[in-house]
Amino acid sequence: MDVKSAFLNGYIDEEVYVSQPPGFEDHSHPDHVYKLRKALYGFKQASRQWYERLSNFLTSQGYDRGKVDKTFFIRKLNFDIILVQVYVDDIIFGSTNEILCQEFVSAMDGEFEMSMMGELNFFLGLQVKQMEHGTFLCQSKYYKELLKKFKMDKCKEASTPISTSCYLDLDEKGVSVDQTKYRGLIGSLLYLTTSRPDIMFSVCMCARFQSNLKESHFKARKRILKYLKGTINVGLWYPRVAPLSLIGYSDSDFAGCKLNRKSTSGTCHLLGVSLISWHSKKQACVTLSTAEAEYIAVGSCCAQILWLKQQLSDFGLSLSKIPLKCDNTSAINLTKNLVQHSRTKHIEIRHHFIRGHVSNGDCEVEFIETNKQLVDFFTKPLARDRFNHLRTELGILDISNVQN
Amino acid sequence: MAKIILAFDAKADDGIFIGYSSHSHAYRIYNKCTMTVEESVHVVFDETNLDLQDVNKNRAEEEENSNELLQNNSRLIQKFNKLNFSDNESNEEKAEQEAPTHEGVPPVPVRNADLPREWRIPRDLSLDNIIGQIEQRVSTRRTFNNFCENMSFVSQIEPTSIAIALSDDKWIDAMHDELNQFTRNNVWVLVPRSPDMHVIGTKWAFTNKLDEQGIIVKNKARLVAKGYNQEEGIDFGETYALVARLEAFRLLLAYACLSGFKLF
């Protein structure tokens, strides 16, 4: 639900004066000014003051703030729990008990002017469909507008977002393309990755070549749009029946970047079978071996797991020994014993932080065969069959498959 | 009586196509010269004349429409056009009823169900030139009524300055709505100005809110402060505000789904 004119609710601490609104001046006191008690739209501190007002109100109502995520509020009552997530003036909430929900709504309604009550179906441009046997998350409205904006709504469809033979470099001899026109495209595509992890790798790849845009880079971008054209109703599917467990996968593509021989690390995390977080990133340093590249990827996967673990403990779900799947035995051994032989002795200290968490029992690094590895997706371009297989494995489905 | 055909006379007769022969692959033609109905395969159809007329008529309509487009928005035109068509046709209907014996042809009553008529697209007119969506269903007078209802409460323009907004009743209403919210929320108090005050300017922002079909449903006026004139330490201290991560949102969604409760 939404708070109407949210920023007008935040109390202002400083002594601030504003001029009278143009066209509506007080005739008897034309020289007077308004002294503000609450914030107006346009003030630098408006959003902060609003958030402070809301969090003060919720804490006075018996809600606790999340330990890591301070925009998250929880209230526990016996065995029931209510979860409230705030995004500026958009509020999502859910509870195991209907009565807690009703209490929350009436409390909010008494304090602020609210609108758009009802079941969640739209949040920050994401379309959410809550069905009997699961939840579907997609952005198909946004794709259509995007395709229209870049005049690609009548293009041919492509089966994968990036071709396996695609190799992007600076391409200094290539034909230049007007870069101002297509800079916004990368931003839009990055936003699209919210519900479309399948384009994550290709978008990140394209995002690296923005300053001197050439025709080859432009073609790669268009390929992503062509792929989107063919998969307009695809989104993330969270099925209802699954075990409540967290699994992390990590992988790396050794020296994947031909430009400076840096590796790409890819990780993803599944709650039950629902894909909740992922990343695809070029590593900051050049690595000497696949084991080292994997070791760094496992480290970043572990960092994300720690965040998810803390967040889940706010939900009332405590997990330990979270499995972290990795397909490199040497990297797994490195997490257990720091073998100082010639090929590993140089690894930077910051990458060793995973060892502490493994010995504490926060996570457990396990071996997985390469062909069962789900994160191939985020590290290298794949052929159509493998790509489609991984897509269904990760729960990135078309809405028509979900409804049946 | 056999006709003598000279070298420069027409070799063919004009005729009107009636239908097809029931027993052979021939056309049934009414021959205008002999005034008889004939069956023949030696027929050349003259399709140019009628179409040319059609094209001309359509071009004239197009020009009319584009002139109107300059003044109004396209949705309006479509609706008005549809109404105009039906008006024209009902006028024709009247004319025909008034002078039925003039041509010796019994009047063909135009039924209301036939209105408004279908779009005819001549072959050499590109689809891009047609205003509005052809696929859109025909709007009836009732929907037009609703449209008018909406129109009378909502301004169709988005003013760029306060002077324009003040000349429009609907926008004045919208601004009053916003100011009423200020008084309801007890946002400010009027105080006399003193020279040491640092006063920040205010400004109106006008936006039209659209519904799914792109029809303007609300005029929204928002009073905003010119925050760029604020000075740190005097007008504001800390400004950082937290926002939720989209990952956190997905996590909540997945967790709610697995634990079996609905989100609102």
Side-chain angles (χ1 to χ4, degrees):
Chain A
M1 60 184 181
D2 242 17
V3 183
K4 269 188 193 166
S5 306
F7 288 177
L8 298 185
N9 287 306
Y11 289 105
I12 214 160
D13 302 329
E14 293 84 7
E15 210 170 273
V16 182
Y17 302 93
V18 291
S19 62
Q20 296 189 31
F24 291 87
E25 288 91 356
D26 195 327
H27 289 297
S28 45
H29 311 282
D31 281 340
H32 280 38
V33 289
Y34 280 111
K35 182 176 187 262
L36 286 185
R37 293 182 64 246
K38 290 180 182 171
L40 286 191
Y41 278 78
F43 273 123
K44 287 199 164 75
Q45 69 268 50
S47 50
R48 186 183 174 86
Q49 297 301 331
W50 153 244
Y51 179 65
E52 200 157 294
R53 167 88 194 271
L54 181 68
S55 58
N56 284 344
F57 171 69
L58 286 178
T59 33
S60 74
Q61 296 282 315
Y63 288 81
D64 293 321
R65 279 168 97 166
K67 278 187 214 86
V68 252
D69 190 355
K70 295 291 177 192
T71 58
F72 188 70
F73 297 87
I74 320 118
R75 188 177 164 210
K76 283 177 189 156
L77 210 71
N78 302 329
F79 293 107
D80 290 319
I81 184 168
I82 179 163
L83 308 169
V84 181
Q85 177 81 61
V86 180
Y87 191 97
V88 191
D89 63 344
D90 275 332
I91 298 170
I92 309 167
F93 61 96
S95 171
T96 46
N97 194 336
E98 286 269 313
I99 299 161
L100 276 176
C101 280
Q102 283 161 12
E103 264 178 35
F104 175 74
V105 170
S106 57
M108 287 297 287
D109 221 15
E111 185 77 6
F112 309 106
E113 260 186 84
M114 309 297 295
S115 69
M116 297 225 296
M117 313 276 207
E119 205 175 292
L120 174 70
N121 49 25
F122 211 71
F123 179 75
L124 296 177
L126 292 157
Q127 292 155 260
V128 182
K129 260 203 187 112
Q130 298 188 68
M131 287 177 269
E132 202 184 317
H133 46 280
T135 303
F136 189 71
L137 186 69
C138 72
Q139 287 163 298
S140 49
K141 261 187 194 164
Y142 191 79
Y143 302 152
K144 282 176 198 158
E145 277 165 35
L146 184 74
L147 289 171
K148 222 177 245 172
K149 190 176 158 197
F150 290 95
K151 301 196 176 66
M152 294 285 284
D153 47 342
K154 288 192 181 98
C155 66
K156 274 198 224 162
E157 296 162 6
S159 53
T160 54
I162 189 165
S163 91
T164 44
S165 59
C166 179
Y167 159 59
L168 290 181
D169 58 9
L170 288 179
D171 192 14
E172 276 158 335
K173 286 176 190 154
V175 186
S176 291
V177 178
D178 177 24
Q179 45 183 323
T180 48
K181 207 172 155 192
Y182 294 100
R183 214 171 264 169
L185 178 58
I186 289 292
S188 309
L189 288 175
L190 279 173
Y191 167 65
L192 273 186
T193 56
T194 314
S195 73
R196 289 299 293 271
D198 47 343
I199 59 167
M200 188 78 184
F201 174 72
S202 38
V203 173
C204 289
M205 188 72 152
C206 290
R208 288 171 206 162
F209 303 98
Q210 287 213 76
S211 61
N212 194 1
L213 194 67
K214 301 289 182 187
E215 197 131 299
S216 58
H217 308 141
F218 180 56
K219 263 187 192 161
R221 287 168 194 215
K222 280 216 286 202
R223 166 98 185 212
I224 302 175
L225 287 180
K226 280 182 185 173
Y227 170 69
L228 285 179
K229 169 85 194 314
T231 52
I232 247 168
N233 287 322
V234 171
L236 278 177
W237 169 242
Y238 295 159
R240 180 142 283 179
V241 191
L244 252 180
S245 62
L246 186 67
I247 308 172
Y249 290 86
S250 94
D251 193 12
S252 75
D253 185 28
F254 178 61
C257 177
K258 299 281 181 294
L259 215 60
N260 45 18
R261 294 284 158 182
K262 284 178 180 170
S263 313
T264 316
S265 53
T267 66
C268 72
H269 303 87
L270 280 84
L271 185 73
V273 288
S274 359
L275 181 62
I276 43 170
S277 97
W278 56 84
H279 92 260
S280 163
K281 200 174 178 185
K282 194 167 82 171
Q283 289 172 3
C285 56
V286 182
T287 50
L288 289 183
S289 58
T290 45
E292 190 186 345
E294 295 272 352
Y295 188 61
I296 292 171
V298 168
S300 53
C301 186
C302 174
Q304 183 73 2
I305 280 186
L306 293 178
W307 176 74
L308 287 169
K309 196 184 148 190
Q310 278 171 314
Q311 190 78 351
L312 282 171
S313 75
D314 283 343
F315 290 179
L317 184 72
S318 56
L319 297 168
S320 65
K321 294 207 169 169
I322 296 157
L324 202 167
K325 308 277 190 186
C326 172
D327 60 1
N328 188 300
T329 355
S330 325
I332 296 171
N333 289 338
L334 265 180
T335 61
K336 289 173 186 153
N337 304 298
L338 190 56
V339 189
Q340 287 278 2
H341 55 70
S342 60
R343 286 167 72 84
T344 58
K345 64 176 192 264
H346 65 278
I347 298 177
E348 258 186 88
I349 296 169
R350 63 192 299 266
H351 300 309
H352 290 306
F353 107 110
I354 184 175
R355 297 189 62 243
H357 294 292
V358 170
S359 61
N360 284 352
D362 289 332
C363 58
E364 234 176 12
V365 187
E366 290 168 8
F367 180 73
I368 187 170
E369 287 165 48
T370 311
N371 55 1
K372 284 182 187 158
Q373 183 65 276
L374 296 178
V375 274
D376 262 3
F377 228 39
F378 300 108
T379 53
K380 49 182 167 275
L382 293 176
R384 188 175 58 193
D385 291 343
R386 175 97 177 120
F387 184 84
N388 286 345
H389 170 71
L390 284 181
R391 211 172 65 176
T392 32
E393 282 284 299
L394 285 172
I396 308 162
L397 301 172
D398 194 280
I399 188 152
S400 57
N401 297 346
V402 165
Q403 277 166 344
N404 297 329
Chain B
M1 192 181 85
K3 236 169 65 177
I4 301 153
I5 299 169
L6 298 176
F8 290 101
D9 280 355
K11 300 272 191 305
D13 289 340
D14 276 355
I16 295 167
F17 172 58
I18 303 169
Y20 299 96
S21 164
S22 51
H23 49 83
S24 68
H25 294 288
Y27 302 102
R28 280 169 74 87
I29 303 291
Y30 172 68
N31 192 326
K32 277 188 188 171
C33 300
T34 58
M35 311 257 253
T36 51
V37 175
E38 293 174 3
E39 286 185 5
S40 166
V41 286
H42 304 291
V43 175
V44 178
F45 283 98
D46 181 15
E47 296 173 343
T48 50
N49 283 342
L50 266 175
D51 265 7
L52 267 178
Q53 282 166 13
D54 250 2
V55 170
N56 288 339
K57 218 163 92 188
N58 264 295
R59 289 221 173 111
E61 274 172 26
E62 285 282 325
E63 270 164 28
E64 248 178 60
N65 286 352
S66 52
N67 284 340
E68 273 182 73
L69 180 70
L70 294 174
Q71 296 150 6
N72 298 313
N73 77 35
S74 63
R75 188 172 292 277
L76 257 171
I77 289 175
Q78 213 186 336
K79 294 208 163 141
F80 279 134
N81 275 347
K82 292 259 169 70
L83 215 77
N84 283 342
F85 284 152
S86 42
D87 280 352
N88 286 344
E89 278 172 64
S90 52
N91 284 343
E92 280 164 24
E93 187 185 340
K94 266 182 222 156
E96 274 171 4
Q97 277 168 352
E98 277 163 19
T101 50
H102 187 67
E103 288 168 26
V105 183
V108 185
V110 180
R111 278 172 299 138
N112 266 338
D114 295 339
L115 306 172
R117 57 182 184 185
E118 270 178 21
W119 286 96
R120 239 188 294 167
I121 309 159
R123 257 172 286 162
D124 57 344
L125 185 71
S126 98
L127 281 175
D128 302 332
N129 289 336
I130 294 170
I131 295 170
Q133 287 172 322
I134 313 168
E135 297 88 15
Q136 206 179 33
R137 63 194 175 85
V138 174
S139 46
T140 56
R141 287 171 197 184
R142 177 165 296 196
T143 57
F144 189 74
N145 278 345
N146 292 340
F147 181 69
C148 280
E149 241 171 59
N150 225 346
M151 287 262 302
S152 55
F153 291 115
V154 182
S155 170
Q156 299 296 306
I157 51 155
E158 208 166 82
T160 45
S161 77
I162 177 72
I164 303 171
L166 282 174
S167 64
D168 194 325
D169 290 345
K170 289 121 197 172
W171 279 110
I172 293 177
D173 283 347
M175 289 190 277
H176 272 299
D177 274 351
E178 172 80 355
L179 288 177
N180 285 341
Q181 207 162 26
F182 277 51
T183 25
R184 256 209 315 279
N185 264 330
N186 201 3
V187 170
W188 56 18
V189 278
L190 201 61
V191 292
R193 185 196 279 259
S194 70
D196 58 331
M197 278 178 186
H198 184 244
V199 180
I200 294 154
T202 50
K203 168 185 172 140
W204 286 101
F206 304 103
T207 36
N208 282 331
K209 298 270 163 166
L210 310 175
D211 68 353
E212 290 89 7
Q213 274 99 46
I215 299 173
I216 298 165
V217 286
K218 197 186 169 195
N219 300 136
K220 187 158 189 178
R222 174 79 78 193
L223 187 70
V224 292
K226 294 178 180 170
Y228 50 83
N229 283 334
Q230 280 181 284
E231 279 178 37
E232 191 169 357
I234 304 167
D235 301 318
F236 69 92
E238 287 285 317
T239 56
Y240 180 75
L242 291 154
V243 280
R245 295 177 63 83
L246 279 170
E247 278 167 337
F249 167 65
R250 279 198 301 262
L251 183 64
L252 176 65
L253 211 63
Y255 180 75
C257 189
L258 287 176
S259 343
F261 57 81
K262 270 225 158 89
L263 290 173
F264 296 93

